[in-house]
Amino acid sequence: MEARAVEPTASNIDRSTARWRRRRRSHHGSHLETNDPPPPRARSNSLQGPELEEWWSLTPDRLKRIFSDADADRDGRLLYSVLVESLRRYDLDGELEGPSWSKKKINQGAEVTMVEFEAAARQLMMEKVLLDAARAPPTCCLVDFSETESDMPPDRVAVTRDFLTCPRPYWSRTRWYEIRGSENALKLLGIKYALHPLAIEDALRATQRPKEERYDTHSQIIVPRFVVVRRTDEPVPRVHTENVSIFVPLLKSETLVTYSPETVAPAWSRRVRSELSRSFTKLREEGAAFLAYRVLDAVLDSGAPAVATLRDAVAEQRAILRKSGFGDATVGPALRSLKADLEDLSRLVRPLLRVLGNLLADDDVVDHRYNNYIEDASENCAELEEDIQTGLREISWLVQEIENFYKRKQDQTIYALTVTTVIFLPLQFITGLFGMNFRYMPQLNDRPAYGRRTDIPWRRVAAT
């Protein structure tokens, strides 16, 4: 796959930095939105995701700009003391470790290149993350593979200083970092592979909508994983979503990073790993670009069973309602829960279709050779949206059926009251009329006259 490098410009850097600062300011008022359904398990981050420190804005492009501004003589070198002072302004004031840095500390007049300047910034950023992760060491699942060999350690690998600097095996063509719930592992690998801070924020945000966004060194794809949750305190199953972030390299790199908040191996991960364990499969032959598609497709395949579960729950509530003679009071809340879940899924599928459309148009993210696979995934998402709309229509029909039942019941009650009123209202009127206590009244002393007068109207009614 031919990848086109994106040349950074001053305008691109300024727009990226401005967007980063706007994102930081918007976080201070974003915690007021709490109407989303709760996640299936407690998370350390809020619904809007953690706020990253200012030094995360030191992307490779910005580091080059800082280095260029400090390089007054434009010889491509800076004094070691200038390096320390430049990074200290961004709260990166730790100790640089390594033999070369030890010599430069002794000789403050030593000079550093742009590559060393960027390496120093990354080392100090990693030290800050490792310090925060001292209580819970970050871990990830590692997969190395080529056409003929593969290595998938069964246990998680600790993301340490040695791990981050250790090269991959000589036979490994493609490496896959699968991060399960470890935010610090994502941050460390983000620093190593120059993942944009906006991409890391989006990956850690639980309420992020599906998206595909391209940066200078990588592209980020966020797709939802559909999780069916059954609880004893709820009459129907619920469907929650967990985002899976896929960081696709653009600069001919065979390294793929994925992040999901789930701490155990999800079904999509087991499926992809099973395919990688078999030799001479297409996935082993193609590498990182096709691996990104396989992860995307495996995650999206969780949508159809989830929607089918909700539609089965609607059919079950219909049977319960009819069996109980429309008298079961739990059906109403159950239908409202099912409708809310289906509407939430519908709001996710629409941007998901746009993501797949963007992938078809951009050959640098997923090679055009895989367009047929992307089109197949897009058709599956379109069918998923149709199933969701069908489920919503089924709920609407069931609600209409309930309303029609109670409307007929109300009509019958009104009819019975009308008949009763027609029978007893004339009798009540006659009783009230002739039951009044008057001293002087016609036929007051002629008792048979009451019968003759009250009998006449009834005879006329019978005659008609």
Side-chain angles (χ1 to χ4, degrees), residues 122-137:
R122 289 187 179 183
Q123 183 182 137
L124 295 178
M125 292 169 71
M126 288 181 181
E127 290 298 326
K128 279 187 168 293
V129 177
L130 289 171
L131 182 61
D132 294 337
R135 295 184 178 180

Side-chain angles (χ1 to χ4, degrees), residues 59-225:
T59 60
D61 291 336
R62 193 176 181 192
L63 287 174
K64 292 178 182 178
R65 186 177 182 181
I66 295 173
F67 184 90
S68 177
D69 292 341
D71 185 14
D73 53 4
R74 297 293 185 269
D75 62 347
R77 293 181 176 275
L78 292 179
L79 293 177
Y80 177 80
S81 58
V82 177
L83 176 147
V84 174
E85 184 63 27
S86 298
L87 296 180
R88 185 175 298 166
R89 289 185 300 171
Y90 297 94
D91 197 26
L92 297 178
D93 53 355
E95 293 292 332
L96 293 172
E97 298 180 358
S100 61
W101 295 119
S102 299
K103 295 179 181 179
K104 294 180 187 299
K105 290 177 187 177
I106 298 174
N107 182 13
Q108 292 292 319
E111 294 182 333
V112 295
T113 63
M114 174 60 211
V115 176
E116 292 175 324
F117 182 79
E118 185 175 351
R122 289 187 179 183
Q123 183 182 137
L124 295 178
M125 292 169 71
M126 288 181 181
E127 290 298 326
K128 279 187 168 293
V129 177
L130 289 171
L131 182 61
D132 294 337
R135 295 184 178 180
T139 60
C140 73
C141 298
L142 185 65
V143 178
D144 286 306
F145 67 92
S146 63
E147 292 187 18
T148 58
E149 297 185 50
S150 66
D151 182 25
M152 291 182 285
D155 299 327
R156 299 188 183 187
V157 179
V159 182
T160 60
R161 297 180 184 87
D162 296 336
F163 174 80
L164 294 170
T165 57
C166 181
R168 70 180 64 178
Y170 71 93
W171 53 264
S172 175
R173 182 196 59 192
T174 306
R175 169 166 283 192
W176 174 25
Y177 297 96
E178 183 193 354
I179 307 172
R180 301 174 186 169
S182 179
E183 297 179 1
N184 288 320
L186 175 62
K187 294 177 180 179
L188 290 171
L189 291 174
I191 295 171
K192 178 177 180 179
Y193 292 104
L195 302 182
H196 200 279
L198 292 177
I200 296 177
E201 277 192 342
D202 290 339
L204 298 178
R205 184 177 298 106
T207 57
Q208 176 63 47
R209 301 182 69 186
K211 62 178 294 187
E212 186 273 329
E213 189 161 354
R214 179 170 171 169
Y215 300 94
D216 292 338
T217 59
H218 66 93
S219 179
Q220 182 187 28
I221 305 173
I222 298 180
V223 291
R225 168 179 171 248

Side-chain angles (χ1 to χ4, degrees), residues 228-247:
V228 178
V229 180
R230 300 180 184 272
R231 298 177 180 175
T232 57
D233 58 342
E234 293 186 359
V236 293
R238 304 297 301 273
V239 173
H240 298 299
T241 58
E242 292 182 348
N243 286 334
V244 177
S245 295
I246 308 171
F247 299 91

Side-chain angles (χ1 to χ4, degrees), residues 231-382:
R231 298 177 180 175
T232 57
D233 58 342
E234 293 186 359
V236 293
R238 304 297 301 273
V239 173
H240 298 299
T241 58
E242 292 182 348
N243 286 334
V244 177
S245 295
I246 308 171
F247 299 91
V248 186
L250 295 178
L251 304 179
K252 297 182 180 180
S253 173
E254 283 293 325
T255 302
L256 188 75
V257 179
T258 62
Y259 172 81
S260 64
E262 185 62 45
T263 56
V264 298
W268 66 266
S269 174
R270 297 193 299 269
R271 174 178 165 184
V272 176
R273 284 171 169 268
S274 175
E275 188 171 348
L276 285 173
S277 64
R278 299 190 295 271
S279 60
F280 298 103
T281 59
K282 183 176 179 61
L283 181 56
R284 290 268 291 269
E285 294 175 358
E286 295 293 338
F290 194 70
L291 175 60
Y293 158 74
R294 294 298 295 134
V295 172
L296 170 68
D297 185 63
V299 172
L300 294 182
D301 283 347
S302 64
V307 175
T309 300
L310 294 180
R311 293 188 61 185
D312 291 342
V314 174
E316 182 180 354
Q317 293 300 312
R318 183 190 300 111
I320 293 174
L321 188 65
R322 292 175 178 175
K323 185 177 180 180
S324 64
F326 295 86
D328 196 327
T330 62
V331 174
L335 291 179
R336 286 193 291 269
S337 298
L338 294 172
K339 183 178 180 181
D341 285 351
L342 287 171
E343 290 176 343
D344 290 341
L345 297 185
S346 179
R347 285 191 290 268
L348 290 176
V349 172
R350 294 167 188 170
L352 188 56
L353 289 171
R354 291 195 294 269
V355 169
L356 296 175
N358 293 338
L359 293 178
L360 287 173
D362 193 349
D363 291 344
D364 288 345
V365 180
V366 178
D367 196 278
H368 66 277
R369 296 177 299 161
Y370 311 139
N371 281 359
N372 292 336
Y373 298 95
I374 300 296
E375 289 175 356
D376 180 71
S378 181
E379 291 177 1
N380 293 337
C381 287

Side-chain angles (χ1 to χ4, degrees), residues 11 28 32 51 56 104 163 209 288 295 379 429 456 459:
S11 60
H28 294 287
L32 298 176
E51 180 180 340
W56 277 98
K104 294 180 187 299
F163 174 80
R209 301 182 69 186
V295 172
E379 291 177 1
F429 173 73
I456 292 174
R459 289 182 180 180

